[in-house]
Amino acid sequence: MISPVTPASGDAYITLLGRSTWALVNAYHAVLREKGLRPKRVSIVTEEPYAGDASTAAEAIRIVSEGYGFVPEVQVEVLPEADFVRAGQTIRSLAGDLIGQGFRVAIDITSGRKVTVAGALIAVTLAGLDLRHIYYLAMKSTDDVAKPYMMIPHQIQEIRDIMEDAGVRP
């Protein structure tokens, strides 16, 4: 007799790394602090020119998470530069696999380059995937923001959930 598969429970977080590691880490910190997310898995998706920063981003994700009392599994996916189709395929597959395992999936687009963000959002929409959140850390000014989240004045930053703003999620 084959044992039934127990689906995973909890959240998974896919984050897109572009030119700014600070943007990725600060958006993650904001999501933990302001939205209460505690993902069991974090996937960092980046393009080849930015792959060297992925290990720094992964370590920062671990450090910030530990500050909130948990340690997620962190993985990195590296894409070819400016490949809209490949970005969409990779992120659609990643999100689909996580949803299939029972995770509630959030995507953070803050640090992603336009080609990766567009590829990701178009692909997951066309696939009809049930994303729970699409996060973006909006900054009213980009002056002097390359520093830890808690050192940036709260009044110039706001974590947004595009799904929530569009009325898709309560």
Side-chain angles (χ1 to χ4, degrees):
M1 180 174 186
I2 299 174
S3 304
V5 175
T6 303
S9 63
D11 296 309
Y13 185 85
I14 300 170
T15 184
L16 309 179
L17 174 60
R19 292 182 180 95
S20 175
T21 304
W22 277 116
L24 180 147
V25 174
N26 287 338
Y28 182 72
H29 194 156
V31 165
L32 299 185
R33 181 180 168 92
E34 307 297 330
K35 301 295 186 178
L37 197 75
R38 299 294 184 269
K40 291 185 176 189
R41 290 197 189 163
V42 174
S43 298
I44 299 169
V45 180
T46 191
E47 296 171 276
E48 287 172 352
Y50 310 102
D53 294 330
S55 62
T56 301
E59 184 60 22
I61 292 289
R62 286 183 192 98
I63 291 168
V64 171
S65 299
E66 286 174 4
Y68 285 88
F70 73 103
V71 180
E73 174 187 327
V74 181
Q75 70 176 43
V76 175
E77 296 280 337
V78 179
L79 305 170
E81 184 177 16
D83 189 335
F84 171 85
V85 173
R86 180 84 178 273
Q89 290 170 337
T90 299
I91 294 164
R92 180 186 65 228
S93 176
L94 181 59
D97 288 349
L98 290 165
I99 291 167
Q101 294 171 41
F103 286 99
R104 294 175 302 268
V105 176
I107 292 182
D108 173 38
I109 62 171
T110 305
S111 178
R113 291 183 354 119
K114 290 178 186 87
V115 68
T116 307
V117 171
L121 297 181
I122 290 170
V124 297
T125 300
L126 291 174
L129 296 178
D130 181 23
L131 293 182
R132 297 306 176 106
H133 308 280
I134 301 172
Y135 291 117
Y136 179 75
L137 183 59
M139 292 286 191
K140 292 180 182 171
S141 168
T142 57
D143 295 336
D144 196 31
V145 294
K147 56 188 172 188
Y149 171 73
M150 298 301 283
M151 294 178 68
I152 302 169
H154 187 70
Q155 55 273 34
I156 71 161
Q157 61 181 329
E158 180 182 7
I159 190 68
R160 306 295 302 265
D161 183 343
I162 294 168
M163 300 293 281
E164 190 177 286
D165 291 352
V168 177
R169 297 275 180 247

Coordinates of all heavy atoms in Angstrom, one line a residue, residues 7-101:
P7 N 0.3 17.0 1.8 CA 0.7 18.2 1.2 C 1.4 19.2 2.2 O 1.2 19.1 3.4 CB -0.6 18.9 0.7 CG -1.7 18.2 1.5 CD -1.1 16.9 1.9
A8 N 2.3 20.0 1.7 CA 3.0 21.0 2.5 C 2.0 22.0 3.0 O 0.9 22.2 2.4 CB 4.1 21.7 1.7
S9 N 2.3 22.6 4.1 CA 1.4 23.7 4.5 C 2.3 24.9 4.8 O 3.4 24.7 5.2 CB 0.6 23.3 5.7 OG 1.5 23.1 6.8
G10 N 1.8 26.0 4.5 CA 2.6 27.2 4.8 C 2.8 28.0 3.5 O 2.3 27.8 2.5
D11 N 3.7 29.0 3.7 CA 4.0 30.0 2.6 C 5.3 29.7 1.9 O 6.2 29.2 2.5 CB 3.9 31.4 3.2 CG 2.6 31.8 3.7 OD1 1.6 31.6 3.0 OD2 2.5 32.2 4.9
A12 N 5.3 30.0 0.7 CA 6.5 30.1 -0.1 C 6.7 31.4 -0.7 O 5.7 32.1 -1.1 CB 6.5 29.0 -1.2
Y13 N 7.9 31.9 -0.9 CA 8.1 33.3 -1.3 C 9.1 33.2 -2.5 O 10.2 32.7 -2.3 CB 8.7 34.0 -0.1 CG 9.0 35.5 -0.2 CD1 7.9 36.4 0.0 CD2 10.2 36.0 -0.5 CE1 8.2 37.8 -0.1 CE2 10.5 37.3 -0.6 CZ 9.5 38.2 -0.4 OH 9.7 39.6 -0.4
I14 N 8.7 33.8 -3.6 CA 9.6 33.9 -4.7 C 10.0 35.4 -4.9 O 9.1 36.2 -4.9 CB 8.9 33.4 -6.0 CG1 8.5 31.9 -5.9 CG2 9.9 33.6 -7.2 CD1 7.6 31.4 -7.0
T15 N 11.3 35.7 -4.9 CA 11.7 37.0 -5.0 C 12.7 37.2 -6.2 O 13.5 36.3 -6.5 CB 12.3 37.5 -3.7 OG1 12.7 38.9 -3.8 CG2 13.6 36.7 -3.3
L16 N 12.5 38.3 -6.9 CA 13.3 38.5 -8.1 C 14.5 39.5 -7.8 O 14.2 40.6 -7.3 CB 12.4 39.1 -9.2 CG 11.1 38.3 -9.4 CD1 10.3 39.0 -10.5 CD2 11.4 36.9 -9.8
L17 N 15.7 39.1 -8.0 CA 16.9 39.9 -7.8 C 17.4 40.5 -9.1 O 17.7 39.8 -10.0 CB 18.0 39.0 -7.1 CG 19.3 39.7 -6.9 CD1 19.2 40.9 -6.0 CD2 20.3 38.7 -6.4
G18 N 17.4 41.8 -9.1 CA 18.0 42.6 -10.2 C 19.2 43.3 -9.7 O 20.1 42.7 -9.2
R19 N 19.2 44.6 -10.0 CA 20.4 45.4 -9.7 C 20.6 45.7 -8.2 O 21.7 46.0 -7.8 CB 20.3 46.7 -10.4 CG 20.4 46.6 -11.9 CD 20.4 47.9 -12.6 NE 20.5 47.8 -14.0 CZ 19.5 47.7 -14.9 NH1 18.2 47.8 -14.4 NH2 19.6 47.5 -16.1
S20 N 19.5 45.6 -7.4 CA 19.7 46.0 -6.0 C 19.4 44.9 -5.0 O 18.2 44.5 -4.8 CB 18.7 47.2 -5.7 OG 18.7 47.5 -4.3
T21 N 20.4 44.5 -4.3 CA 20.3 43.5 -3.3 C 19.6 44.1 -2.1 O 18.7 43.5 -1.4 CB 21.7 42.9 -2.8 OG1 22.3 42.4 -4.0 CG2 21.5 41.8 -1.8
W22 N 19.8 45.4 -1.8 CA 19.2 46.1 -0.7 C 17.6 46.1 -0.9 O 16.9 45.9 0.0 CB 19.7 47.5 -0.6 CG 20.9 47.6 0.3 CD1 22.1 48.1 -0.2 CD2 21.1 47.3 1.6 NE1 23.0 48.0 0.9 CE2 22.4 47.5 2.0 CE3 20.2 46.8 2.6 CZ2 22.9 47.3 3.3 CZ3 20.7 46.5 3.9 CH2 22.0 46.8 4.2
A23 N 17.2 46.3 -2.2 CA 15.8 46.4 -2.4 C 15.1 45.0 -2.1 O 14.0 44.9 -1.6 CB 15.5 46.8 -3.9
L24 N 15.8 43.9 -2.5 CA 15.3 42.6 -2.3 C 15.2 42.3 -0.8 O 14.1 41.9 -0.3 CB 16.2 41.6 -2.9 CG 15.8 40.1 -2.8 CD1 16.1 39.3 -4.0 CD2 16.4 39.5 -1.5
V25 N 16.3 42.6 -0.1 CA 16.3 42.3 1.4 C 15.3 43.2 2.1 O 14.6 42.7 3.0 CB 17.7 42.5 1.9 CG1 17.8 42.3 3.4 CG2 18.7 41.5 1.2
N26 N 15.2 44.5 1.8 CA 14.3 45.4 2.5 C 12.9 45.0 2.2 O 12.0 45.1 3.1 CB 14.7 46.8 2.2 CG 15.9 47.3 2.8 OD1 16.4 46.7 3.8 ND2 16.6 48.3 2.3
A27 N 12.6 44.7 1.0 CA 11.2 44.2 0.7 C 10.8 43.0 1.5 O 9.7 42.9 2.1 CB 11.0 44.0 -0.8
Y28 N 11.8 42.0 1.6 CA 11.5 40.8 2.4 C 11.3 41.2 3.9 O 10.3 40.7 4.5 CB 12.7 39.9 2.2 CG 12.6 38.6 3.0 CD1 11.7 37.6 2.6 CD2 13.3 38.3 4.1 CE1 11.5 36.4 3.3 CE2 13.2 37.1 4.8 CZ 12.3 36.2 4.4 OH 12.2 35.0 5.1
H29 N 12.1 42.0 4.4 CA 12.0 42.5 5.8 C 10.6 43.1 6.0 O 9.9 42.9 7.0 CB 13.1 43.4 6.1 CG 13.3 43.7 7.6 ND1 14.4 44.1 8.2 CD2 12.4 43.6 8.6 CE1 14.3 44.2 9.5 NE2 13.1 43.9 9.8
A30 N 10.2 44.0 5.1 CA 8.9 44.7 5.2 C 7.8 43.7 5.2 O 6.8 43.8 5.9 CB 8.8 45.7 4.0
V31 N 7.9 42.7 4.3 CA 6.8 41.6 4.2 C 6.7 40.9 5.6 O 5.6 40.6 6.0 CB 7.1 40.7 3.0 CG1 6.2 39.4 3.1 CG2 6.8 41.4 1.7
L32 N 7.9 40.5 6.2 CA 7.8 39.9 7.4 C 7.2 40.7 8.5 O 6.4 40.3 9.3 CB 9.2 39.4 7.9 CG 10.0 38.4 6.9 CD1 11.3 38.0 7.6 CD2 9.2 37.2 6.6
R33 N 7.7 42.0 8.6 CA 7.3 42.9 9.6 C 5.9 43.4 9.5 O 5.1 43.4 10.4 CB 8.2 44.1 9.7 CG 7.9 45.1 10.8 CD 8.9 46.2 10.8 NE 8.5 47.3 11.6 CZ 8.8 47.4 12.9 NH1 9.6 46.5 13.5 NH2 8.4 48.5 13.6
E34 N 5.5 43.8 8.2 CA 4.2 44.5 8.0 C 3.1 43.5 7.6 O 1.9 43.8 7.9 CB 4.4 45.6 6.9 CG 5.5 46.6 7.2 CD 5.3 47.4 8.4 OE1 4.2 47.7 8.8 OE2 6.3 47.8 9.0
K35 N 3.4 42.4 7.0 CA 2.4 41.5 6.5 C 2.3 40.2 7.3 O 1.4 39.4 7.1 CB 2.6 41.2 5.0 CG 2.6 42.4 4.1 CD 1.2 43.1 4.1 CE 1.1 44.2 3.1 NZ -0.2 44.8 3.1
G36 N 3.4 40.0 8.1 CA 3.4 38.8 8.9 C 3.7 37.5 8.2 O 3.5 36.4 8.8
L37 N 4.2 37.5 7.0 CA 4.5 36.3 6.3 C 5.7 35.6 6.9 O 6.6 36.3 7.4 CB 4.9 36.7 4.8 CG 4.9 35.5 3.8 CD1 3.4 35.1 3.5 CD2 5.6 35.9 2.6
R38 N 5.7 34.3 7.0 CA 6.7 33.5 7.5 C 6.9 32.3 6.6 O 6.5 31.2 6.8 CB 6.4 32.9 8.9 CG 6.2 34.0 10.0 CD 7.5 34.8 10.2 NE 7.3 35.8 11.3 CZ 7.0 37.0 11.1 NH1 6.7 37.5 9.9 NH2 6.9 37.9 12.2
P39 N 7.6 32.5 5.4 CA 7.7 31.5 4.4 C 8.6 30.3 4.9 O 9.6 30.5 5.5 CB 8.3 32.2 3.2 CG 9.1 33.3 3.8 CD 8.3 33.7 5.0
K40 N 8.2 29.1 4.5 CA 9.0 27.9 4.7 C 10.1 27.8 3.7 O 11.1 27.2 3.9 CB 8.1 26.7 4.8 CG 7.2 26.6 6.0 CD 6.5 25.3 6.0 CE 5.7 25.3 7.3 NZ 5.1 24.0 7.6
R41 N 9.8 28.3 2.5 CA 10.7 28.3 1.4 C 10.8 29.6 0.7 O 9.8 30.3 0.5 CB 10.3 27.3 0.3 CG 10.4 25.8 0.7 CD 10.3 24.9 -0.5 NE 10.2 23.6 0.0 CZ 9.8 22.6 -0.8 NH1 9.4 22.8 -2.0 NH2 9.7 21.4 -0.3
V42 N 12.0 30.0 0.4 CA 12.3 31.2 -0.3 C 13.1 30.9 -1.6 O 14.2 30.2 -1.5 CB 13.1 32.3 0.5 CG1 13.5 33.5 -0.3 CG2 12.3 32.6 1.8
S43 N 12.7 31.4 -2.7 CA 13.4 31.2 -4.0 C 13.8 32.5 -4.5 O 13.0 33.4 -4.7 CB 12.5 30.5 -5.0 OG 12.1 29.2 -4.6
I44 N 15.1 32.7 -4.7 CA 15.6 33.9 -5.3 C 15.9 33.6 -6.8 O 16.6 32.7 -7.1 CB 16.9 34.3 -4.6 CG1 16.7 34.6 -3.1 CG2 17.6 35.6 -5.3 CD1 18.0 34.8 -2.3
V45 N 15.2 34.4 -7.6 CA 15.4 34.2 -9.1 C 16.1 35.5 -9.6 O 15.7 36.6 -9.4 CB 14.0 34.1 -9.8 CG1 14.2 33.9 -11.3 CG2 13.3 32.9 -9.2
T46 N 17.2 35.2 -10.3 CA 18.0 36.3 -10.8 C 18.6 36.0 -12.2 O 18.5 34.9 -12.7 CB 19.2 36.6 -9.8 OG1 19.8 37.9 -10.2 CG2 20.2 35.5 -9.8
E47 N 19.1 37.0 -12.9 CA 19.7 36.8 -14.2 C 21.2 36.7 -14.0 O 21.8 37.1 -13.0 CB 19.4 38.0 -15.1 CG 17.9 38.2 -15.4 CD 17.7 39.5 -16.1 OE1 17.5 40.5 -15.3 OE2 17.6 39.5 -17.3
E48 N 21.9 36.1 -15.0 CA 23.3 35.8 -14.9 C 24.2 37.0 -14.4 O 25.0 36.8 -13.6 CB 23.8 35.3 -16.2 CG 23.4 33.8 -16.5 CD 23.7 33.3 -17.8 OE1 24.2 34.1 -18.7 OE2 23.5 32.1 -18.1
P49 N 24.0 38.2 -15.0 CA 24.8 39.3 -14.5 C 24.7 39.7 -13.0 O 25.6 40.3 -12.5 CB 24.3 40.5 -15.4 CG 23.6 39.9 -16.5 CD 23.1 38.7 -16.0
Y50 N 23.6 39.2 -12.4 CA 23.4 39.6 -11.0 C 23.6 38.3 -10.1 O 23.4 38.4 -8.9 CB 22.0 40.2 -10.8 CG 21.8 41.3 -11.8 CD1 21.0 41.1 -12.9 CD2 22.4 42.5 -11.6 CE1 20.9 42.1 -13.9 CE2 22.3 43.5 -12.6 CZ 21.5 43.3 -13.7 OH 21.4 44.3 -14.6
A51 N 24.0 37.2 -10.7 CA 24.1 36.0 -9.9 C 25.1 36.0 -8.8 O 25.0 35.4 -7.8 CB 24.4 34.8 -10.8
G52 N 26.1 36.9 -9.0 CA 27.1 37.0 -7.9 C 26.6 37.6 -6.6 O 27.1 37.3 -5.5
D53 N 25.5 38.3 -6.7 CA 24.9 38.9 -5.5 C 23.9 38.0 -4.9 O 23.4 38.3 -3.8 CB 24.2 40.2 -5.9 CG 25.1 41.3 -6.3 OD1 26.3 41.3 -5.9 OD2 24.7 42.1 -7.2
A54 N 23.6 36.9 -5.5 CA 22.5 36.0 -5.0 C 22.9 35.3 -3.7 O 22.1 35.2 -2.8 CB 22.2 34.9 -6.0
S55 N 24.2 35.0 -3.5 CA 24.6 34.4 -2.2 C 24.5 35.4 -1.1 O 24.1 35.0 0.0 CB 26.0 33.8 -2.3 OG 26.9 34.8 -2.6
T56 N 24.8 36.6 -1.4 CA 24.7 37.7 -0.3 C 23.2 37.8 0.0 O 22.8 37.9 1.2 CB 25.2 39.0 -0.9 OG1 26.6 38.8 -1.2 CG2 25.1 40.1 0.1
A57 N 22.3 37.9 -1.0 CA 20.9 38.0 -0.8 C 20.4 36.8 0.0 O 19.6 37.0 1.0 CB 20.1 38.1 -2.1
A58 N 20.8 35.6 -0.3 CA 20.4 34.4 0.4 C 20.8 34.4 1.9 O 20.0 34.1 2.8 CB 20.9 33.1 -0.3
E59 N 22.0 34.9 2.1 CA 22.5 35.0 3.5 C 21.7 36.0 4.3 O 21.3 35.8 5.4 CB 24.0 35.3 3.6 CG 24.5 35.3 4.9 CD 24.4 34.0 5.7 OE1 24.2 32.9 5.1 OE2 24.4 34.0 7.0
A60 N 21.4 37.2 3.6 CA 20.6 38.2 4.3 C 19.2 37.7 4.6 O 18.7 38.0 5.6 CB 20.6 39.4 3.4
I61 N 18.6 37.0 3.7 CA 17.3 36.4 3.9 C 17.3 35.5 5.2 O 16.4 35.6 6.0 CB 16.8 35.5 2.7 CG1 16.5 36.4 1.5 CG2 15.6 34.7 3.0 CD1 15.3 37.3 1.6
R62 N 18.3 34.7 5.3 CA 18.5 33.8 6.4 C 18.6 34.6 7.7 O 18.0 34.3 8.7 CB 19.7 32.9 6.3 CG 19.4 31.8 5.3 CD 20.7 30.8 5.2 NE 20.5 29.9 4.1 CZ 21.1 30.1 2.9 NH1 21.9 31.2 2.7 NH2 20.9 29.3 1.9
I63 N 19.4 35.7 7.7 CA 19.7 36.5 8.9 C 18.4 37.2 9.3 O 18.0 37.2 10.5 CB 20.8 37.5 8.6 CG1 22.2 36.7 8.5 CG2 20.9 38.6 9.7 CD1 23.3 37.6 8.0
V64 N 17.7 37.8 8.3 CA 16.5 38.6 8.7 C 15.4 37.6 9.2 O 14.8 37.9 10.2 CB 15.9 39.3 7.4 CG1 14.5 39.9 7.7 CG2 16.9 40.5 7.0
S65 N 15.3 36.4 8.6 CA 14.4 35.4 9.0 C 14.6 35.0 10.5 O 13.7 34.9 11.3 CB 14.4 34.2 8.1 OG 14.0 34.5 6.8
E66 N 15.9 34.7 10.8 CA 16.3 34.3 12.1 C 15.9 35.4 13.2 O 15.5 35.0 14.3 CB 17.8 34.1 12.2 CG 18.2 32.8 11.6 CD 19.8 32.6 11.6 OE1 20.5 33.5 12.1 OE2 20.2 31.6 10.9
G67 N 15.9 36.6 12.8 CA 15.5 37.7 13.6 C 14.0 37.6 14.0 O 13.5 38.2 15.0
Y68 N 13.2 36.9 13.1 CA 11.8 36.7 13.3 C 11.5 35.3 13.8 O 10.3 34.9 13.9 CB 11.0 37.0 12.0 CG 10.9 38.5 11.8 CD1 11.9 39.2 11.1 CD2 9.9 39.3 12.3 CE1 11.9 40.6 10.8 CE2 9.8 40.6 12.0 CZ 10.8 41.3 11.3 OH 10.7 42.6 11.1
G69 N 12.6 34.6 14.2 CA 12.4 33.3 14.8 C 12.1 32.1 13.9 O 11.6 31.1 14.4
F70 N 12.5 32.2 12.7 CA 12.4 31.0 11.8 C 13.5 31.0 10.8 O 14.2 32.0 10.6 CB 11.0 31.0 11.1 CG 10.9 32.0 10.1 CD1 10.9 31.7 8.7 CD2 10.6 33.4 10.4 CE1 10.8 32.6 7.7 CE2 10.5 34.3 9.4 CZ 10.6 33.9 8.0
V71 N 13.7 29.9 10.1 CA 14.8 29.7 9.1 C 14.2 29.0 7.9 O 13.9 27.8 8.0 CB 16.0 29.0 9.6 CG1 17.1 28.9 8.6 CG2 16.6 29.6 10.9
P72 N 13.9 29.7 6.8 CA 13.4 29.1 5.7 C 14.5 28.3 4.9 O 15.6 28.6 5.0 CB 12.8 30.2 4.8 CG 13.7 31.4 5.2 CD 14.1 31.1 6.6
E73 N 14.0 27.4 4.0 CA 14.9 26.8 3.0 C 15.0 27.9 1.9 O 14.1 28.4 1.4 CB 14.3 25.6 2.5 CG 15.0 24.9 1.3 CD 14.2 23.7 0.8 OE1 13.5 23.1 1.5 OE2 14.3 23.5 -0.5
V74 N 16.3 28.2 1.5 CA 16.5 29.2 0.5 C 17.2 28.6 -0.7 O 18.2 27.8 -0.5 CB 17.4 30.4 1.0 CG1 17.6 31.4 0.0 CG2 16.8 31.0 2.3
Q75 N 16.7 28.8 -1.9 CA 17.3 28.3 -3.1 C 17.4 29.5 -4.1 O 16.7 30.5 -4.0 CB 16.5 27.2 -3.7 CG 15.2 27.7 -4.3 CD 14.4 26.5 -5.0 OE1 14.4 25.4 -4.5 NE2 13.8 26.8 -6.1
V76 N 18.4 29.3 -5.0 CA 18.6 30.3 -6.1 C 18.4 29.7 -7.4 O 18.9 28.6 -7.7 CB 20.1 30.9 -5.9 CG1 20.4 31.9 -7.1 CG2 20.2 31.6 -4.6
E77 N 17.7 30.5 -8.3 CA 17.6 30.1 -9.7 C 18.2 31.2 -10.6 O 17.9 32.4 -10.4 CB 16.1 30.0 -10.1 CG 15.3 28.9 -9.4 CD 15.5 27.5 -10.0 OE1 15.9 27.5 -11.2 OE2 15.3 26.6 -9.3
V78 N 19.1 30.8 -11.5 CA 19.8 31.8 -12.3 C 19.3 31.6 -13.8 O 19.3 30.5 -14.3 CB 21.3 31.6 -12.3 CG1 22.0 32.6 -13.2 CG2 21.8 31.8 -10.8
L79 N 18.9 32.8 -14.3 CA 18.3 32.8 -15.7 C 19.3 33.5 -16.6 O 20.1 34.3 -16.2 CB 17.0 33.7 -15.7 CG 15.9 33.2 -14.7 CD1 14.9 34.3 -14.7 CD2 15.4 31.9 -15.2
P80 N 19.2 33.2 -17.9 CA 20.0 34.0 -18.9 C 19.5 35.5 -18.8 O 18.4 35.8 -18.5 CB 19.7 33.4 -20.2 CG 19.0 32.1 -19.9 CD 18.4 32.2 -18.5
E81 N 20.4 36.4 -19.2 CA 20.1 37.8 -19.2 C 19.0 38.2 -20.2 O 19.1 37.7 -21.3 CB 21.3 38.7 -19.4 CG 21.0 40.2 -19.3 CD 22.3 41.0 -19.5 OE1 23.3 40.5 -20.0 OE2 22.2 42.2 -19.1
A82 N 18.0 38.9 -19.7 CA 17.0 39.5 -20.6 C 16.2 38.5 -21.5 O 15.8 38.8 -22.6 CB 17.6 40.6 -21.5
D83 N 16.0 37.3 -20.9 CA 15.3 36.3 -21.6 C 13.9 36.2 -21.0 O 13.6 35.5 -20.1 CB 16.0 34.9 -21.5 CG 15.4 33.9 -22.4 OD1 14.2 33.9 -22.7 OD2 16.1 32.9 -22.7
F84 N 13.0 37.0 -21.6 CA 11.6 37.1 -21.2 C 10.9 35.8 -21.1 O 10.2 35.4 -20.1 CB 10.9 38.1 -22.2 CG 9.4 38.2 -22.0 CD1 8.9 39.1 -21.1 CD2 8.6 37.4 -22.8 CE1 7.5 39.2 -21.0 CE2 7.2 37.5 -22.7 CZ 6.7 38.4 -21.8
V85 N 11.0 35.0 -22.2 CA 10.3 33.7 -22.2 C 10.9 32.7 -21.2 O 10.1 32.1 -20.4 CB 10.5 33.0 -23.6 CG1 9.9 31.6 -23.7 CG2 9.8 33.9 -24.7
R86 N 12.2 32.6 -21.0 CA 12.8 31.7 -20.0 C 12.4 32.2 -18.6 O 12.1 31.3 -17.8 CB 14.3 31.7 -20.2 CG 15.0 30.8 -19.3 CD 15.0 29.3 -19.7 NE 15.8 28.5 -18.8 CZ 17.1 28.4 -18.9 NH1 17.8 28.9 -19.8 NH2 17.7 27.7 -18.0
A87 N 12.4 33.5 -18.4 CA 12.0 34.0 -17.1 C 10.6 33.5 -16.7 O 10.3 33.0 -15.7 CB 12.1 35.5 -17.0
G88 N 9.7 33.7 -17.7 CA 8.3 33.3 -17.5 C 8.2 31.8 -17.2 O 7.5 31.3 -16.3
Q89 N 8.9 31.0 -18.1 CA 8.8 29.5 -17.9 C 9.3 29.1 -16.6 O 8.7 28.2 -15.9 CB 9.6 28.8 -19.0 CG 9.0 29.0 -20.4 CD 10.0 28.5 -21.5 OE1 11.2 28.5 -21.3 NE2 9.4 28.1 -22.6
T90 N 10.4 29.6 -16.2 CA 11.1 29.2 -14.9 C 10.2 29.6 -13.7 O 9.9 28.8 -12.8 CB 12.5 29.9 -14.7 OG1 13.3 29.5 -15.8 CG2 13.1 29.5 -13.4
I91 N 9.7 30.8 -13.7 CA 8.9 31.2 -12.5 C 7.5 30.6 -12.5 O 7.0 30.2 -11.5 CB 8.8 32.8 -12.5 CG1 10.2 33.3 -12.2 CG2 7.8 33.2 -11.5 CD1 10.4 34.8 -12.5
R92 N 6.9 30.3 -13.7 CA 5.7 29.6 -13.8 C 5.8 28.2 -13.3 O 5.0 27.7 -12.5 CB 5.1 29.6 -15.2 CG 3.8 28.8 -15.3 CD 3.4 28.6 -16.8 NE 4.3 27.7 -17.5 CZ 4.8 28.0 -18.7 NH1 4.5 29.1 -19.3 NH2 5.7 27.2 -19.2
S93 N 6.9 27.5 -13.7 CA 7.2 26.2 -13.2 C 7.5 26.1 -11.7 O 6.9 25.3 -11.0 CB 8.4 25.6 -14.0 OG 8.8 24.4 -13.5
L94 N 8.3 27.1 -11.2 CA 8.6 27.1 -9.8 C 7.3 27.4 -9.0 O 7.0 26.7 -8.0 CB 9.6 28.3 -9.5 CG 10.1 28.5 -8.1 CD1 10.7 27.3 -7.5 CD2 11.1 29.7 -8.1
A95 N 6.5 28.4 -9.3 CA 5.3 28.7 -8.6 C 4.3 27.5 -8.7 O 3.7 27.1 -7.7 CB 4.6 29.9 -9.2
G96 N 4.2 26.9 -9.9 CA 3.3 25.8 -10.1 C 3.6 24.6 -9.2 O 2.8 23.9 -8.6
D97 N 4.9 24.3 -9.2 CA 5.4 23.2 -8.3 C 5.1 23.5 -6.8 O 4.7 22.6 -6.1 CB 6.9 23.0 -8.5 CG 7.3 22.4 -9.8 OD1 6.4 21.9 -10.6 OD2 8.5 22.4 -10.2
L98 N 5.4 24.7 -6.4 CA 5.1 25.0 -5.0 C 3.6 24.9 -4.7 O 3.2 24.4 -3.6 CB 5.7 26.4 -4.7 CG 7.2 26.5 -4.7 CD1 7.6 28.0 -4.7 CD2 7.8 25.8 -3.4
I99 N 2.8 25.4 -5.5 CA 1.3 25.4 -5.3 C 0.9 23.9 -5.3 O 0.1 23.5 -4.5 CB 0.6 26.2 -6.4 CG1 0.8 27.7 -6.2 CG2 -0.9 25.9 -6.4 CD1 0.4 28.6 -7.4
G100 N 1.5 23.1 -6.2 CA 1.1 21.7 -6.3 C 1.5 21.0 -5.0 O 0.9 19.9 -4.7
Q101 N 2.5 21.5 -4.3 CA 3.0 20.9 -3.0 C 2.2 21.4 -1.9 O 2.4 21.0 -0.7 CB 4.5 21.1 -2.8 CG 5.4 20.5 -3.8 CD 6.8 21.0 -3.6 OE1 7.3 21.1 -2.5 NE2 7.5 21.2 -4.7

